[in-house]
Structure formats: structure tokens, C-alpha cells
Amino acid sequence: MTAAPSTTLVADVLAGKPSAIARLISRAESGADEAAEALAEIHRHTGKAHIVGITGVPGSGKSTLIAQLCRKIREGGRTVAVSAVDPTSPFSGGSILGDRVRMSDLNADPGVFIRSMATRGALGGLSRATMPSVEIFDAAGFDVVIIETVGVGQDEVDVVRSAHTTVVVSAPGLGDDIQAIKAGVLEIADIHVVSKADKPDANRTISELKGMLTIGLQLSGKMDWTVPVIGTSAVSGEGIDELEETIDRHMARMRETGELEARRRRMAEWRVLKSAEDILRDEFTRDREGRIAAIAEQVARLNLAPEEGARQLLAEINRETER
Amino acid sequence: MTAAPSTTLVADVLAGKPSAIARLISRAESGADEAAEALAEIHRHTGKAHIVGITGVPGSGKSTLIAQLCRKIREGGRTVAVSAVDPTSPFSGGSILGDRVRMSDLNADPGVFIRSMATRGALGGLSRATMPSVEIFDAAGFDVVIIETVGVGQDEVDVVRSAHTTVVVSAPGLGDDIQAIKAGVLEIADIHVVSKADKPDANRTISELKGMLTIGLQLSGKMDWTVPVIGTSAVSGEGIDELEETIDRHMARMRETGELEARRRRMAEWRVLKSAEDILRDEFTRDREGRIAAIAEQVARLNLAPEEGARQLLAEINRETER
């Protein structure tokens, strides 16, 4: 695809070799220093994929929907990669929800790449789990890159918003408690999906959603875009064609209106911010015995306020960076 | 309480005047520059309160439980403040869950202070909503400070972990989907509460929780502490005495074992990190038209990787700080 850069690994990623893609993602996940250099090189080759964030609570049927969407995208001849973020326990580091995409037929297809990302616990952001894989998939030439998250919590919302197109999946008949948790993500949607449209109360859920969208704010950047509500069914296959078309139409509208450039800048800003936060977190985990601990000690002893400590920390990180 | 510091507002906060407490929290929430100075002064007067984090999904009955616990604490002659974090929509900035503590009798009691914090949307952390209020309540002399969060998402978990004692509230009979979402927070508990213990399936929930605790990791710092599971009832008042005693016993054990010092350092580290992240976020919101936008532009144009941009940003913030 592109001329071989500094390392063979990066060249292999750019050539779309699955083993190289998997290896670089693993290195990025483990925070290896050599990964940073490779990722900086990778970034130059991104910007071609359509990044789609898909979010929904457990039980919303989003994994099944993603599997169907992947099949549909493949039928049209395009390639697709999925980066699925599993919530993990802050202590065990293990996967809790087990809500991964099950799609054995797709696993055998070289035009599909599925990666379940583990998050790193309390001080590792979800962004760190997804950002590198999305960049790697994009650079490796996948046409569509899907980010799957559980739609609860601020971090989770942030991650799914760092996409060109955000899809929020709801299911009919989930309890009020679930609906309340989900309420916070309704407004981030460019497209709403009501899964399990074959269920009797699906139409009510679709009507309710449309009602909420009419009442609430409908921001979708600066372009004119009426947020559609699409019913889908894993049983009948209903709505999957419409979903794919709508995702494509959203991208086409963004291109026409200049919204795409605005989102790209917003995404870039978000990535820079998250990356800066990652650098800070690394200081905390790497240097626990050292000067960070000394700053924290001063804060714990009430000699220094947290913000004063934070400014000292930023200054010290910078001195190290400039060395 | 303490000699008057630089400003009258801080002196009034330290004297426990409710209007001053409310005003300083509002200023801190709005990110006013003069608030930073006051908060730095406030920090020196903290370290006396017992900070208790209480988390549970909507419907778990945690707000009712907190009201009961506040009454119990007041009966014993101690004062208590509550900092309740409501999830907000990233766009509207309004409260979504409406899950605030309803306790009109307590509102009339000067020994109780309740504050519902709004979070700031996508780029504001939950920590920023709670940290200043907790510090202000502590410095104002409240014996117990309760932080209430909805127990979903990484940010929410982080916030509730930034307490001396963490209580996780579960309710019998919530759906499997809710239980799955909640699974991520089970392990952060120092104390488990099963609310609505008068319900028929409460005992099953208590047994299930005890079973999960036996199987899973039981980390509670370096001290020997078997995580208790307490059934409580808003109807009969059952379990509230035991909960208050257990919270106090947890603090006593932390003091005896040196765990308290370890937690204080952990809390200080967390506050420094979160404060540093807030400084970064401010750069993004304040200087959107300026050099941050220029860095993001370079990242969007693929001339600069996000991490390179982040390092430039940290260096620039630092130069400004040193000016």
C-alpha cells in the first residue's frame, strides 16, 4: 500500500497483514516504548477509514447488530474492523461482561478483523484501549472501523463520540433503571437503532425515542441532519440495509457540508487531550516510588494543595521531556 | 475554628457558615480563578472528616439509604455533608436521572449539608464536581462527608474510590442487565449493602453477594478486613445502626493498621492526577482558537501524531505556568 517505513512491523501493518496488526495492537496495549514510535509513524497513514462508534447497554443486542452490519459491509465488498471495549474490574483486570462479538463466520474472513480490548483498570482510560487500535486499523486499510462500547459512564461516552458517526442501540422492554442509565447517551447519537424490532413492544420504543428526540436538543454539529430511528431485527434481518445506507449517507452529508473537517479537528483535539492524560498517568504508574510520591506526600500532609501539586508535576514532566 | 486566612470567604467557610460553603462550591464549580486560591488555602484545613463513598445504580435505593444514614449520624451528635453527583447529558448540561436525595427533614438541620453537583459535560471530569466540595465540607468541620455516585463507568468508579470507605449498594430483584453493569464495582467495596431487605428475594441477593466475594479477589489495602454484607430496610429501619457501626469500625481498623496513611497517600495521588487532567482540559476549553487548535490541526492533517501533539501541549502549558 505505502512505502515501507522505519520498521518492518509498521510496513507489515500498512500492508494489512493480520499478524502484524495484532502484534502492534498488543504492543500498544502493553504501553511498550517502541510502540509509541510505530504509532507516530502509523498516524501519518490514517484518515481514510470511516470510524463508526456503536454503543448500547448489555442486553441491547448491539453485538449481534454489529455482526450483521459487518456481514452487510462485506457483501458490498468493503473491509471492516471492530474494536470492542470490555469493562474490566479495577482489580482483576479481567473481562466482566463477556459481551464480545460472537461471529465465527466472520472470524474466517480476512476482510474482517475483530479485537476485544481489555481496559487497564482504574488509572488507564478507555481511550488508550481504543485509540491505537483504531489508528492501526485505519492505516492498515480497513474501509470501516467500528468502536463498540457499553453506553454508560463518562469515559465510555467520550470514546464513542470520538468517531465520525455515532450509533446508539436501544432494545424494547429493558427496565426503567436501564433506560435511566442510558438517558445520558441518547443525545450523542447521529443514528438511533432499536434492535429486536420483531418484539411486540418495539414500535412503542421507536415512538418513545422519536418523542424524546423531538423534545430534546438535536445537535449534530453544524450540518442539517435529522437523527433517524431505525428498527432492526436479528431474526428477520430487517433494518440492516437501511442502517448501512444511513451510516454511508451520514458520511456523505458530512463531506458535502464541511462537517467532516470539523469532526476531524474535534477528534484530533480529543486524541491530543487523551494522550496528554495518558502521559500523566504513566508518570504515576512508572514513578510511584519517586518524585510523584513525594508530591502526593506533600498533598497528603496538607503542605500543598492538589492543584499546586499538579502544576509541579506538569513542570517536572516537561523538564524530563526536554532533556 | 481556625484563624481567618487571606479572604473573608475562606474564614466563613472554616467557621462552617452554610452560605459561605455554598458560595465557594459554586465558584469552584464555575472554575473561577479566585476559587483556586481559596481552595489552596482550604486544603490546609482538611484531613479531619471521614469521607465515605456510596455508589449504586438507579433503583438500588441508595438515596433513601443515605438519608437514613444521615439521620443516624445526627442522632449520635456528629455532623454530615453529602456531595451527590448526577450524571448529565454532554449537551444539555442538565440533570438526567433526577436521583437526588429527598430528605426535607434533614434540609432543616444545620448539622446536615446536601449538595447535588452537576458535572460539566464531555470534557469535565466527575472528579472536578466532587473534589472541591469534599475539601470544603472537610475544612468546614463536617465529621462525615458522603460522596454519592451512580456506580457505572470508569470515572464514577474512580470518584467513589477516592474515599476512606467505599460502600456499594445493591437491591434485590434488579434485572440481569443491571447486575452485569454493576459487576465492575463489586470489588471496590469496603462494605456491601443490600437495600430493601424487607423484600422476599433479599436473602438470595445477600447470599449471592457473599458467594461472589468468596470466589473473587478481596483486596482491601494491606489490612485484614472481611468485607461485610449488610441488609438494610427503609421500611423497618433494619441495618442502619449496623451500617453506621461498620463504617466507623472500618475507619478504626484503618487507623490501627496504618492503612489510613496508605489510603490518604493514594487519595492525594489521585487528586493530583485529576487536578493535572483538569488543567489540561482547561487549556482545551480556554484556548480553543489558539495554539491548541493549531496542534490539533497538525494532528488532523496527519503531520503530527496525537502523542507528539500531547507532548508539545504539555511543554507549552509549562512555559506558560513558569512565566
Side-chain angles (χ1 to χ4, degrees), chain B residues 50-119:
Chain B
H50 184 174
I51 302 168
V52 180
I54 301 187
T55 191
V57 294
S60 64
K62 69 180 177 315
S63 298
T64 310
L65 180 81
I66 288 171
Q68 289 181 293
L69 183 62
C70 285
R71 288 188 195 101
K72 185 77 203 144
I73 290 167
R74 290 297 295 137
E75 279 171 33
R78 291 186 293 176
T79 56
V80 58
V82 179
S83 181
V85 185
D86 278 10
T88 52
S89 151
F91 287 120
S92 69
S95 159
I96 295 279
L97 289 187
D99 183 33
R100 292 174 189 208
V101 186
R102 279 168 196 76
M103 30 183 172
S104 50
D105 59 323
L106 292 171
N107 282 333
D109 178 348
V112 178
F113 200 111
I114 297 159
R115 179 84 182 192
S116 276
M117 319 297 293
T119 59

Side-chain angles (χ1 to χ4, degrees), chain A residues 254-294:
Chain A
M254 286 195 295
R255 274 190 211 285
E256 286 161 23
T257 56
E259 170 68 12
L260 184 60
E261 284 312 302
R263 288 219 181 183
R264 281 202 170 129
R265 278 194 297 273
R266 191 186 79 185
M267 288 157 74
E269 284 194 358
W270 184 83
R271 285 172 183 201
V272 172
L273 172 63
K274 289 296 168 183
S275 194
E277 290 181 359
D278 288 342
I279 292 168
L280 290 175
R281 287 201 191 92
D282 282 347
E283 291 293 312
F284 273 75
T285 45
R286 269 185 208 158
D287 248 333
R288 205 162 267 287
E289 304 301 315
R291 61 187 197 285
I292 310 292

Side-chain angles (χ1 to χ4, degrees), chain A residues 89 121 154 187 269 288, chain B residues 89 121 154 187 265 269 288:
Chain A
S89 151
Q154 187 122 20
E187 286 149 336
E269 284 194 358
R288 205 162 267 287
Chain B
S89 151
Q154 186 123 20
E187 287 147 335
R265 278 194 297 274
E269 285 194 358
R288 206 163 266 286

Side-chain angles (χ1 to χ4, degrees), chain A residues 107-143:
Chain A
N107 282 333
D109 178 348
V112 178
F113 199 110
I114 297 159
R115 179 83 181 193
S116 276
M117 320 297 294
T119 59
R120 284 202 187 175
L123 288 183
L126 294 184
S127 55
R128 177 171 260 177
T130 48
M131 261 194 328
S133 67
V134 170
E135 296 254 305
I136 291 163
F137 289 142
D138 186 343
F142 287 95
D143 298 307

